[in-house]
Amino acid sequence: MTRGKLRIYLGAAPGVGKTYAMLSEAHRRIERGTDCVVAFVEHHHRPRTEVMLHGLEQVPRRQLEYRGTTFGEMDVDAVLRRAPAVALVDELAHTNVPGSRNAKRWQDVEELLAAGIDVISTVNIQHLESLGDVVESITGVRQRETVPDEVVRWADQIELVDMSPQALRRRMAHGNIYKPDKVDAALSNYFRPGNLTALRELALLWVADRVDEYLNAYRSEHQVSTIWGSRERIVVGLTGGPEGRTLIRRAARLAEKGAGGEVLAVYISRSDGLTAASPKELAVQRTLVEDLGGTFHQVVGDDIPAALLDFARGVNATQIVLGVSRRRSWQYVFGPGVGATVARESGPDLDVHLITHDEAGKGRGLPVARGARLGRSRVVGGWLVGVLGPVLLTLLLTSFTPDVGLANDMLLFLTLTVAAALLGGLFPALASAVVGSLLINWYFTPPVHTLTIADPQNIVAIAIFVGVAVSVASVVDLAARRTHLAARLRAESEILSFLAGNVLRGETTLEALLERVRETFAMESVALLERGGETAPWTCAGSVGRRPAGIPEDADVDVPVGDHMALALRGRVLPAADRRVLAAFAAQAAVVLDRQRLKQEAEQAKELAEGNRIRTALLAAVSHDLRTPLAGIKAAVTSLRSADVEWTEQDRAALLEAIEEGADRLDHLVGNLLDMSRLQTGTVTPVIRESDLDEIVPMALGGVPEDSVDLDIPETLPMVHVDPGLLERAVANVVENAVKYSPPEETVLVSASALADRVEVRVVDRGPGVPDEAKDRIFEPFQRYGDSPRGVGVGLGLAVARGFTEAIGGTLHAEDTPGGGLTMVLAVPTAPEGGRPEQPDLSAARTS
């Protein structure tokens, strides 16, 4: 039996129109005469989707009872008996009710496909199993219903149902997706523009990768060797030289000009393992290309142009970026070079860019190792070759080989001297020359076994032998010392460049700079000492390492900085050559210390200015906002005590009510002032414990009229880890602010929901709202937005609410309410463990 074909409509989020597109396809197939039935479609009471079911044959659902509730699931047996050509199965990732034929709906679909029935299904990108963690990090919601990627990936057709976030939110606001009572919560939580944009990008990238797989499979199946420029893929050929960074950045700019451009950096290494590339430079270039969003590859190949072209064609690249050759002009006699060869053999379907750079035409050369000084093992080897080598050679020539002549004997001994010079430098080579000349004179120069020389020509030959040996040893030693000096100067320049760059950009703290000094010079400790005058004691401004010096005299190395500062190092005595760089470090340390102190003084001045501003605002609040209720209380009391007027019981009640209202307002204002004072002085000490949000929030509504707030706090929320008193005070201030600015006929909605490791309390009002540029300003002390009349508060409510929220580890920010108004979002952490268990919601699990 031929296996059925699977077609999937993939969406980025619920409501983009997957089910509608699937039903439209069913109508088109029925019009063409295809036997098509609805095995299972969930319209979620969406009118337009429900209308599309008219005219389609629907297989009755199987009714299953679970925990006292009846659920309808797809009847796989009924569909198999009906045996249609095409079956519509909605929500591929759905989990079946316990007692069903299979645990997951995609397993039901597998049975239909195995029976030869074509299936059209739907799934959202967030339900793919491999993307669960990514979706959770984006939306804060962990998807429990998932489908293995392979099920979707191996579908015969995948069609993306796309919609912009703005259009989807409009569809949601019009009530085309969820019921009106759930629209505000959905728009403020899962259907935020950022969430939808990220999910849409995730879906587009996943489908693009799937299309790439289709294309690669087709090219492999049909043996297509030419390049198809379906998307810009740019291969950067690296040599390990410094010009590689320029090539990578240039390729990244080229990739940005094309949609979906991709950069692949490749280094061709020879099969013998020999390379002139600097491993450090290659590591830097690998990091650079990965930071720019590309990938790094290393390919083995002795023919570099052929290997580069094979790699480019293998990845279906459209462009190759190479650097202009570093060869000098005369070196082109050995061949045209990699760039010219690649450009000639690339063909018409692969563009080659030759990029100029600073290293062009300067010669290739070999990289110079930083540690070029002869090591201990080489010196020991040089002495062994220089002293024991001539002895062993003499034994060999006198005992096991025939007489080869004095000239050849001298050449053999000279070879050992050159080897000793290459290994150990000057002194092993001189020792080899002396030992070799004595052995040649004793064993090979007539008369033998004496130090006398009969033939004057032999005297000249031995003298030339010694001269050549000494000259070779001197040249090798000079080259080693010059190489070491160059490496040292290069290291010093890199250190000073790093030092100057970081300090000028203000990226280095004093401790980090001192740690850099300690690591650079391999010291035990480094301290920056200072004193106020010639006779004042030394104090430590900063130190790193063990046992830092307290005075310059206790240090192994001390470098003065001005008249009253010194850099003290412990560990070893440094040579004079190192003090030049150390002096630069000392001067920069003084600059960093001054900068840190100036920064601290600026912060203190800012705090003083903020304190002055708060005191000025406080005086204004005390002089006006506190005086207003006091004046009302004073007037009412004076009226009641007046003996000239006979007050009725109704008048007395009104005056007493005015006194009580003024006292309450005064108490509220003073309470906010005291709370703000506690926050400013840092005396708020929260007592964190596990608490129930549905117990805290209702207690915070005591200061507002009962009919002014709608409360929606589910009992299934997890426990929160907060200070109940501070959270209650914060919620009370936010709710009072929302009631104050809401129209009289509108109520304030207070709702809560769990998102990942936090619980969000949303206070939604329908007031005038706040523009984006003022959303942060309304949380500052003594700030009242807009033309708020005097006497309604001192502008501390939201400032105190944010301060208390942050004190318990939460956050408080403002968002626009869909349709007008302002929404305050107060997020607090959930309890780490042991919270209330979440009840299963099978009806909710059925929705996408």
Side-chain angles (χ1 to χ4, degrees):
M1 181 180 297
T2 304
R3 179 181 172 85
K5 295 183 178 180
L6 176 61
R7 177 171 183 170
I8 293 178
Y9 286 94
L10 178 69
V16 296
K18 304 180 301 301
T19 305
Y20 189 92
M22 178 179 67
L23 295 175
S24 299
E25 175 66 19
H27 282 286
R28 286 193 293 270
R29 296 200 180 198
I30 289 176
E31 291 175 359
R32 296 196 298 265
T34 304
D35 182 16
C36 184
V37 302
V38 175
F40 186 96
V41 168
E42 188 64 68
H43 55 72
H44 299 295
H45 303 289
R46 298 168 187 168
R48 296 186 179 181
T49 306
E50 194 171 358
V51 168
M52 292 297 294
L53 285 170
H54 296 167
L56 298 178
E57 179 186 349
Q58 300 186 45
V59 177
R61 301 183 183 183
R62 183 185 178 190
Q63 302 300 316
L64 295 172
E65 193 169 322
Y66 181 69
R67 293 186 178 181
T69 305
T70 301
F71 298 92
E73 294 288 3
M74 182 175 71
D75 193 338
V76 180
D77 292 327
V79 178
L80 292 174
R81 287 194 300 270
R82 172 63 175 77
V86 179
L88 308 184
V89 182
D90 205 4
E91 298 178 356
L92 186 63
H94 170 74
T95 301
N96 293 328
V97 174
S100 300
R101 182 188 186 99
N102 296 301
K104 304 287 289 187
R105 182 164 293 163
W106 63 265
Q107 295 171 327
D108 297 337
V109 169
E110 284 293 322
E111 287 197 35
L112 300 182
L113 294 173
I117 301 173
D118 294 345
V119 176
I120 304 177
S121 188
T122 64
V123 72
N124 284 328
I125 192 68
Q126 63 264 32
H127 294 298
L128 295 183
E129 196 168 276
S130 65
L131 301 178
D133 294 338
V134 179
V135 173
E136 183 179 10
S137 66
I138 294 172
T139 65
V141 178
R142 181 68 179 184
Q143 296 294 333
R144 298 180 180 178
E145 294 189 329
T146 59
V147 59
D149 288 43
E150 290 77 10
V151 175
V152 181
R153 189 178 299 277
W154 295 112
D156 299 274
Q157 285 182 283
I158 299 177
E159 184 171 334
L160 178 65
V161 182
D162 189 29
M163 178 175 289
S164 69
Q166 295 77 12
L168 184 56
R169 283 172 60 85
R170 284 196 300 270
R171 178 181 287 185
M172 173 70 73
H174 293 160
N176 294 333
I177 301 177
Y178 290 164
K179 294 181 179 179
D181 59 338
K182 295 183 178 180
V183 169
D184 286 345
L187 290 176
S188 302
N189 290 280
Y190 193 88
F191 286 81
R192 296 174 183 172
N195 290 358
L196 297 178
T197 302
L199 291 173
R200 185 189 188 199
E201 182 179 9
L202 199 62
L204 290 170
L205 290 174
W206 195 90
V207 173
D209 288 340
R210 178 65 175 137
V211 173
D212 259 354
E213 293 176 9
Y214 277 132
L215 180 60
N216 291 334
Y218 181 86
R219 284 166 51 84
S220 175
E221 181 181 349
H222 292 79
Q223 298 181 350
V224 178
S225 59
T226 59
I227 292 174
W228 289 0
S230 55
R231 61 186 296 188
E232 291 294 338
R233 280 194 179 87
I234 303 174
V235 171
V236 185
L238 301 179
T239 64
E243 77 280 0
R245 307 183 198 184
T246 302
L247 304 183
I248 292 170
R249 294 189 180 96
R250 178 61 174 157
R253 291 196 296 271
L254 289 173
E256 290 175 357
K257 296 179 181 179
E262 185 179 355
V263 176
L264 300 91
V266 58
Y267 171 71
I268 311 295
S269 60
R270 297 189 180 275
S271 58
D272 56 12
L274 300 178
T275 175
S278 167
K280 178 182 177 181
E281 183 63 29
L282 280 178
V284 171
Q285 293 175 15
R286 175 194 290 268
T287 303
L288 176 60
V289 71
E290 290 175 351
D291 289 343
L292 294 175
T295 55
F296 181 89
H297 307 267
Q298 187 163 343
V299 177
V300 177
D302 293 323
D303 188 345
I304 294 179
L308 186 61
L309 288 171
D310 288 343
F311 176 82
R313 293 192 175 101
V315 298
N316 199 30
T318 56
Q319 304 179 54
I320 295 180
V321 173
L322 299 173
V324 173
S325 177
R326 286 182 286 156
R327 289 182 173 190
R328 298 188 186 277
S329 301
W330 60 269
Q331 291 178 304
Y332 282 97
V333 299
F334 299 106
V338 174
T341 304
V342 170
R344 184 183 67 247
E345 298 180 1
S346 61
D349 52 357
L350 188 58
D351 297 333
V352 179
H353 301 266
L354 292 180
I355 307 300
T356 58
H357 51 84
D358 295 337
E359 303 296 324
K362 292 185 178 180
R364 302 191 64 174
L366 293 175
V368 179
R370 180 173 296 179
R373 177 183 291 179
L374 299 177
R376 182 178 179 180
S377 60
R378 289 189 58 181
V379 173
V380 172
W383 280 103
L384 292 176
V385 172
V387 176
L388 297 181
V391 175
L392 295 176
L393 180 60
T394 301
L395 180 63
L396 177 65
L397 293 176
T398 56
S399 303
F400 301 102
T401 59
D403 185 13
V404 295
L406 181 61
N408 291 329
D409 293 335
M410 287 187 176
L411 288 177
L412 292 174
F413 278 95
L414 182 61
T415 302
L416 289 178
T417 303
V418 172
L422 292 174
L423 285 174
L426 178 62
F427 295 106
L430 293 178
S432 177
V434 173
V435 174
S437 62
L438 291 175
L439 292 175
I440 290 174
N441 187 2
W442 184 268
Y443 286 101
F444 304 104
T445 305
V448 296
H449 304 302
T450 65
L451 294 178
T452 58
I453 303 175
D455 190 349
Q457 292 182 356
N458 293 337
I459 297 177
V460 175
I462 293 178
I464 292 175
F465 167 77
V466 174
V468 171
V470 171
S471 300
V472 171
S474 299
V475 170
V476 171
D477 183 69
L478 178 62
R481 286 188 284 109
R482 291 286 176 84
T483 303
H484 171 66
L485 179 60
R488 178 180 179 83
L489 292 176
R490 177 182 173 186
E492 289 183 0
S493 65
E494 288 183 359
I495 291 172
L496 293 176
S497 175
F498 165 83
L499 177 66
N502 281 11
V503 172
L504 289 176
R505 290 191 298 268
E507 299 174 355
T508 303
T509 62
L510 179 60
E511 288 71 19
L513 182 62
L514 296 180
E515 181 63 27
R516 177 76 176 184
V517 175
R518 192 184 70 82
E519 292 178 354
T520 300
F521 297 99
M523 304 301 285
E524 181 181 348
S525 66
V526 180
L528 182 63
L529 308 177
E530 63 175 346
R531 61 181 177 180
E534 294 293 340
T535 59
W538 289 96
T539 59
C540 182
S543 65
V544 295
R546 298 184 298 108
R547 300 187 306 108
I551 57 175
E553 289 76 12
D554 293 341
D556 294 315
V557 180
D558 68 283
V559 180
V561 186
D563 297 330
H564 307 298
M565 193 174 292
L567 189 66
L569 295 84
R570 270 185 173 176
R572 62 189 178 91
V573 178
L574 294 179
D578 288 338
R579 291 179 177 267
R580 181 175 64 255
V581 178
L582 189 58
F585 271 107
Q588 294 290 9
V591 172
V592 171
L593 180 61
D594 290 341
R595 178 180 286 124
Q596 287 185 354
R597 288 176 174 173
L598 289 174
K599 184 178 180 180
Q600 292 174 358
E601 292 175 1
E603 291 177 351
Q604 292 174 358
K606 183 179 179 181
E607 291 178 359
L608 291 174
E610 180 68 15
N612 289 333
R613 186 186 70 82
I614 291 177
R615 279 192 290 272
T616 302
L618 179 59
L619 289 174
V622 171
S623 63
H624 188 284
D625 294 291
L626 296 182
R627 183 177 294 177
T628 300
L630 283 174
I633 295 172
K634 175 66 175 177
V637 171
T638 301
S639 299
L640 288 173
R641 295 189 61 187
S642 174
D644 299 337
V645 181
E646 190 68 31
W647 301 101
T648 65
E649 288 298 326
Q650 185 176 1
D651 293 335
R652 281 180 171 275
L655 290 172
L656 290 173
E657 184 180 355
I659 293 173
E660 184 179 12
E661 181 181 350
D664 289 341
R665 287 179 55 190
L666 189 61
D667 178 70
H668 182 72
L669 293 175
V670 172
N672 273 338
L673 288 172
L674 292 176
D675 288 340
M676 198 65 216
S677 175
R678 292 169 60 201
L679 290 171
Q680 291 289 334
T681 56
T683 58
V684 177
T685 306
V687 180
I688 305 297
R689 59 185 177 86
E690 293 186 5
S691 306
D692 268 320
L693 201 62
D694 55 356
E695 295 178 0
I696 298 174
V697 175
M699 296 176 63
L701 307 182
V704 297
E706 293 183 1
D707 57 349
S708 62
V709 176
D710 287 337
L711 194 61
D712 182 16
I713 308 294
E715 296 182 356
T716 57
L717 287 176
M719 303 281 281
V720 292
H721 207 230
V722 297
D723 182 316
L726 295 183
L727 179 58
E728 178 188 340
R729 187 74 179 126
V731 174
N733 281 9
V734 173
V735 172
E736 289 174 8
N737 184 78
V739 172
K740 182 191 305 179
Y741 287 98
S742 288
E745 67 279 2
E746 294 285 349
T747 59
V748 173
L749 173 63
V750 180
S751 62
S753 58
L755 293 174
D757 58 348
R758 66 188 189 278
V759 172
E760 287 188 354
V761 179
R762 310 182 74 84
V763 181
V764 183
D765 68 60
R766 294 294 180 177
V770 176
D772 292 339
E773 62 273 10
K775 282 188 172 63
D776 286 333
R777 196 165 62 247
I778 61 176
F779 293 101
E780 296 178 4
F782 303 104
Q783 295 291 325
R784 289 180 292 193
Y785 176 68
D787 56 352
S788 177
R790 306 295 294 181
V792 298
V794 293
L796 286 176
L798 293 181
V800 170
R802 172 172 276 188
F804 282 171
T805 304
E806 293 177 349
I808 60 178
T811 59
L812 176 62
H813 66 277
E815 297 178 354
D816 291 328
T817 300
L822 190 68
T823 297
M824 291 290 181
V825 183
L826 192 154
V828 293
T830 58
E833 58 183 29
R836 179 185 291 117
E838 186 172 352
Q839 300 296 325
D841 186 358
L842 292 175
S843 60
R846 297 175 62 85
T847 61
S848 297

